[in-house]
Amino acid sequence: MARRAQGISAGLTRDRIAAAAVALIDRDGLERFGVRRLADELGVDPMSIYNHIKGKSALLDAASEAVLAELPTRTGDASDTWDEIARRTAHSYRAAAYRHPHLVPVLATRPQISPTALAPLERLVTVMRTAGLPDDVIADTPLTLFAFLNGYLLAVLRRGPDSAAAVPTFDPELYPTMAALAPRMADFGSAAEFDRLLDAVLAGIRDRADR
């Protein structure tokens, strides 16, 4: 693509740059992503990008925010319970991760503190507090929920959403119990497995609140 000279308006905005960054990472992966390649994709001088977003790290933050902006701004009705909100948020996050698997490591390892990231968490913890859950349980819930989501999605999507990781086979002489349990692990990465593990996470939060 022909590149514009520096200083000539290219119609760039932060949102347009972020959307292009997401598309480039989706196509080529994180390893090949950089400011110069993004500038080539947009047909601009790299300095035109720096006028809006200062460097690769800030670009990754902008791309993360663009992905999180795909999550619904509302997570249900005003009467929804905290665990219903948490469940919808988790499923929306999983869907976004499957659309953008190369960006899951960025979502998992960089602080997500933009208004886009914090708004759904604010609603979740507000509903928990209104329901009378202890503050120490509420304070731990965002990290508990997203530690599960990010760890699970990193494991499942490490080879891409269309190549589910195979469940390992176990030598029954060395690992008899793991070998016996292996058939129950055959749905690794499935929606059903995700729901089971999410149930366990939410049940743990609920149990701690009850105690």
Side-chain angles (χ1 to χ4, degrees):
M1 183 181 292
R3 181 177 292 178
R4 295 174 185 265
Q6 184 180 342
I8 296 177
S9 173
L12 289 183
T13 64
R14 187 178 189 278
D15 288 347
R16 183 185 168 204
I17 294 168
V22 171
L24 186 60
I25 294 169
D26 284 346
R27 190 186 73 201
D28 296 339
L30 274 174
E31 295 77 10
R32 299 183 62 194
F33 178 72
V35 178
R36 289 189 176 277
R37 292 199 71 238
L38 180 60
D40 287 342
E41 197 75 11
L42 288 166
V44 300
D45 187 278
M47 287 308 299
S48 298
I49 292 176
Y50 283 111
N51 288 335
H52 297 271
I53 302 177
K54 306 297 184 183
K56 184 175 179 179
S57 293
L59 274 171
L60 292 175
D61 289 337
S64 299
E65 188 174 348
V67 170
L68 293 175
E70 296 179 11
L71 275 62
T73 54
R74 285 186 56 80
T75 51
D77 299 325
S79 60
D80 284 345
T81 62
W82 70 266
D83 46 339
E84 288 171 333
I85 294 171
R87 187 177 300 280
R88 286 196 185 93
T89 300
H91 277 277
S92 296
Y93 190 78
R94 177 180 182 267
Y98 269 73
R99 289 192 296 270
H100 308 287
H102 293 303
L103 274 157
V104 172
V106 179
L107 293 169
T109 59
R110 295 188 65 79
Q112 302 301 326
I113 55 174
S114 69
T116 302
L118 295 178
L121 296 181
E122 175 66 16
R123 184 175 181 217
L124 173 60
V125 297
T126 298
V127 171
M128 294 179 81
R129 214 173 197 194
T130 301
L133 275 69
D135 276 357
D136 57 344
V137 174
I138 299 172
D140 288 344
T141 293
L143 182 57
T144 300
L145 180 61
F146 279 88
F148 157 66
L149 291 172
N150 288 326
Y152 180 79
L153 291 166
L154 282 170
V156 169
L157 298 176
R158 66 182 183 272
R159 295 189 299 175
D162 297 323
S163 77
V167 175
T169 56
F170 304 100
D171 185 332
E173 293 187 3
L174 294 175
Y175 313 106
T177 305
M178 292 295 289
L181 292 171
R184 297 180 179 273
M185 306 174 190
D187 65 344
F188 178 72
S190 69
E193 182 197 53
F194 179 78
D195 273 325
R196 287 199 310 273
L197 298 181
L198 179 59
D199 283 344
V201 172
L202 298 181
I205 295 170
R206 206 177 299 115
D207 179 65
R208 184 180 165 206
D210 290 343
R211 293 201 307 270

